[in-house]
Amino acid sequence: MAKSKTTLILFLSLFFELLVVEATTTINSTDVDLIIKGWDCIEGERKALLEFKHGLEDPSGRLPSWVGADCCKGRGVDCNNQTGNVVKVDLRNGCDFPRLGFLGGEISDSLLDLKHLNYLDLSLNDFQGIPIPDFLASFERLKHLDLSYAEFGGMVPPQLGN
């Protein structure tokens, strides 16, 4: 009788372990790598964001979180949870006192190194009449681009219509 109880306990223990393993099989090696690395973004994309930030004027200090190895935690930056690629840069000015929170300066073409970027919002800022950069039409995955009320000057590049 004691042997059958031991066998039953062993069986149930193995059964529950299998359930736990089955529930976690959706984690692949990429996920594990990201967990081990602490969800750091990809180094080339981190550098691209820092170069982009370097060209911006940020009088209100909206971008101080764009430091360190993990650019995915920076304000306005979202990354794909599985790959770590930057997929969204949302720098829309949502400040209660807009004149104090405007971003300005230059838009660096380093953004093109964000190969998985599908969302870019620079609206409600003050780029003081600089032309909309032609390279913004070069993103292959960009689905959302908002430059409204960002004080860009000149004509909209015709390539942006594609």
Side-chain angles (χ1 to χ4, degrees), residues 27-141:
I27 297 177
N28 61 34
S29 63
T30 304
D31 295 331
V32 172
D33 290 344
L34 290 172
I35 291 167
I36 291 169
K37 292 179 183 175
W39 296 91
D40 291 352
C41 67
I42 295 164
E43 181 63 19
E45 294 186 355
R46 183 184 73 80
K47 287 180 180 178
L49 284 171
L50 290 176
E51 188 175 329
F52 170 62
K53 176 186 174 184
H54 184 72
L56 294 176
E57 295 170 7
D58 182 19
S60 64
R62 287 171 49 197
L63 305 177
S65 63
W66 285 28
V67 295
D70 193 356
C71 64
C72 296
K73 291 183 180 173
R75 181 177 178 188
V77 177
D78 288 340
C79 295
N80 181 299
N81 288 339
Q82 293 181 331
T83 65
N85 292 105
V86 174
V87 294
K88 181 177 181 178
V89 175
D90 185 354
L91 297 178
R92 174 186 173 95
N93 183 8
C95 189
D96 291 336
F97 303 100
R99 285 301 295 158
L100 301 175
F102 285 139
L103 292 176
E106 298 293 323
I107 309 297
S108 170
D109 64 356
S110 68
L111 286 176
L112 290 174
D113 291 333
L114 306 177
K115 303 291 185 200
H116 297 269
L117 189 68
N118 60 44
Y119 185 104
L120 178 60
D121 190 337
L122 300 174
S123 63
L124 300 171
N125 283 294
D126 187 3
F127 289 97
Q128 300 179 359
I130 67 170
I132 297 171
D134 289 339
F135 73 82
L136 290 180
S138 301
F139 290 102
E140 293 181 16
R141 298 179 186 215

Side-chain angles (χ1 to χ4, degrees), residues 134 137 156-162:
D134 289 339
V156 174
Q159 307 90 319
L160 282 178
N162 294 333

